[in-house]
C-alpha cells in the first residue's frame, strides 16, 4: 500500500562502484521504498571518504507525532500511525534501510530526520542507525511524550539527539552540544541520556534529562 509519506535520501555517489555498497544495492533500496512511499534520491556531488556514502535520510508525513498510538514489539520500531481513518505503515521503511545496512560498512549516515506535522525528530550519528539506534530510541520517545511538554511552551517543535557535554567550558560553566555531522557513531545508550528540545525557535531550547525524566532549563548548541 503506497502512502503519502515521503522519503528523501541525499548521499555521496562518487566512487560507489568501489564501495561494499554498490549502485545496484542502492537501486534495490529505492525500488523497495518506492513501492510503499513517495521516494526521492539525490546525489550531493560530494566526495566520499573511505568509500562511505554518508547518507542523510529525511522522512516527511502530514501526521502528528503525538498521535502515534501503536507500537509493534518485534525488534523493529512502531508499526502504524493512526489518524482518523488513515494509517501509515512505516515497517517497510525500517526494513528497507536495515537491509542496505547489512550490505556492508559502505552505507553510512550523518543524520536521520523524521518530520511530523507537529515536530521534527533528528538522530545524528553514523553506522547502522536503523538497525541499532532508531528501533530502541523511538519507543522511548513515545513513552516520554507527556514529560516533553513544557508548561509554558507546549510540545517541542524539535527533538534532537544525542546531546553531549562539551569537552570545553568557559569560566567553569558546563556547555552542551549536539555533535551534528561530526562523523562519530553514537549508540542507543548514548542517545538515551540527554535530548535537545526546541520550542518553536532555536532561541528557546531546553535539555531533557532522560534518566531523571525532567526538562532542564539549560541551553544547547
Amino acid at each position: 500500500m503506497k502512502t503519502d509519506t515521503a522519503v528523501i535520501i541525499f548521499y555521496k555517489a562518487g566512487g560507489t562502484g568501489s564501495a561494499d555498497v554498490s549502485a545496484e544495492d542502492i537501486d534495490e533500496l529505492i525500488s523497495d521504498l518506492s513501492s510503499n512511499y513517495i521516494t526521492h534520491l539525490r546525489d550531493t556531488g560530494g566526495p566520499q571518504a573511505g568509500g562511505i556514502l554518508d547518507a542523510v535520510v529525511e522522512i516527511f508525513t502530514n501526521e502528528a507525532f503525538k498521535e502515534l498510538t501503536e507500537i509493534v514489539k518485534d525488534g523493529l520500531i512502531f508499526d502504524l500511525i493512526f489518524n482518523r481513518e488513515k494509517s501509515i505503515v512505516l515497517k517497510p521503511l525500517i526494513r528497507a534501510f536495515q537491509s542496505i545496512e547489512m550490505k556492508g560498512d559502505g552505507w553510512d549516515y550523518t543524520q536521520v530526520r523524521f518530520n511530523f506535522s507537529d515536530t521534527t525528530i533528528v538522530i545524528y550519528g553514523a553506522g547502522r542507525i536503523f538497525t541499532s539506534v532508531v528501533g530502541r530510541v523511538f519507543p522511548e520517545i513515545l513513552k516520554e511524550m507527556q514529560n516533553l511538554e513544557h508548561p509554558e511552551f507546549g510540545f517541542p517543535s524539535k527533538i534532537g539527539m544525542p546531546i553531549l557535554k562539551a569537552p570545553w567550558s568557559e569560566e567553569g560553566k558546563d556547555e552542551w552540544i549536539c555533535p551534528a555531522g561530526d562523523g562519530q557513531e553514537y549508540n542507543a545508550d548514548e542517545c538515551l541520556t540527554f535530548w535537545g528540545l526546541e520550542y518553536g525557535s532555536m532561541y528557546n531550547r531546553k535539555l531533557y534529562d532522560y534518566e531523571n525524566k525532567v526538562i532542564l532549563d539549560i541551553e544547547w548548541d
Side-chain angles (χ1 to χ4, degrees):
M1 178 184 67
K2 196 159 187 173
T3 72
D4 58 0
T5 296
V7 181
I8 303 177
I9 305 168
F10 303 91
Y11 78 110
K12 301 174 182 178
T16 304
S18 62
D20 55 4
V21 174
S22 67
E24 289 75 17
D25 293 328
I26 296 175
D27 288 342
E28 182 179 346
L29 170 67
I30 297 304
S31 177
D32 289 344
L33 291 172
S34 297
S35 62
N36 293 282
Y37 310 101
I38 302 166
T39 306
H40 179 69
L41 181 74
R42 178 175 296 174
D43 173 11
T44 65
Q48 287 187 11
I52 303 299
L53 278 71
D54 285 339
V56 175
V57 178
E58 292 225 50
I59 297 97
F60 292 86
T61 176
N62 289 328
E63 304 300 322
F65 179 71
K66 291 180 66 176
E67 294 184 4
L68 290 175
T69 58
E70 192 78 10
I71 300 174
V72 174
K73 299 178 180 179
D74 59 1
L76 295 177
I77 192 177
F78 58 86
D79 185 30
L80 299 177
I81 303 175
F82 289 107
N83 182 16
R84 297 183 178 89
E85 297 178 353
K86 293 170 53 180
S87 67
I88 298 178
V89 181
L90 294 182
K91 186 183 291 185
L93 181 145
I94 305 302
R95 285 179 171 166
F97 280 106
Q98 286 179 323
S99 176
I100 199 167
E101 287 177 6
M102 300 306 292
K103 300 289 186 181
D105 295 330
W107 182 263
D108 207 349
Y109 304 87
T110 57
Q111 63 175 276
V112 173
R113 300 174 66 93
F114 289 84
N115 298 281
F116 296 91
S117 66
D118 53 352
T119 194
T120 296
I121 298 172
V122 188
I123 301 175
Y124 292 101
R128 298 175 176 178
I129 287 182
F130 280 93
T131 300
S132 62
V133 178
V134 175
R136 279 191 58 196
V137 168
F138 250 95
E140 297 306 313
I141 298 175
L142 290 171
K143 294 176 185 176
E144 303 299 310
M145 282 174 53
Q146 297 301 318
N147 296 330
L148 302 181
E149 295 230 27
H150 191 279
E152 181 179 354
F153 308 118
F155 196 73
S157 57
K158 180 178 179 180
I159 304 169
M161 61 192 68
I163 303 294
L164 307 174
K165 187 177 290 187
W168 65 83
S169 63
E170 295 181 2
E171 300 178 354
K173 181 181 179 181
D174 290 337
E175 294 188 25
W176 297 84
I177 59 171
C178 182
D182 63 356
Q184 295 297 313
E185 184 171 347
Y186 299 101
N187 59 41
D189 290 336
E190 290 171 297
C191 289
L192 296 176
T193 52
F194 294 94
W195 301 344
L197 306 180
E198 185 173 297
Y199 294 91
S201 167
M202 64 179 295
Y203 300 106
N204 191 11
R205 289 177 167 177
K206 309 294 181 184
L207 202 65
Y208 182 66
D209 184 338
Y210 170 83
E211 182 178 355
N212 294 303
K213 317 300 183 189
V214 62
I215 297 174
L216 305 175
D217 191 19
I218 297 176
E219 295 183 357
W220 54 275
D221 294 321

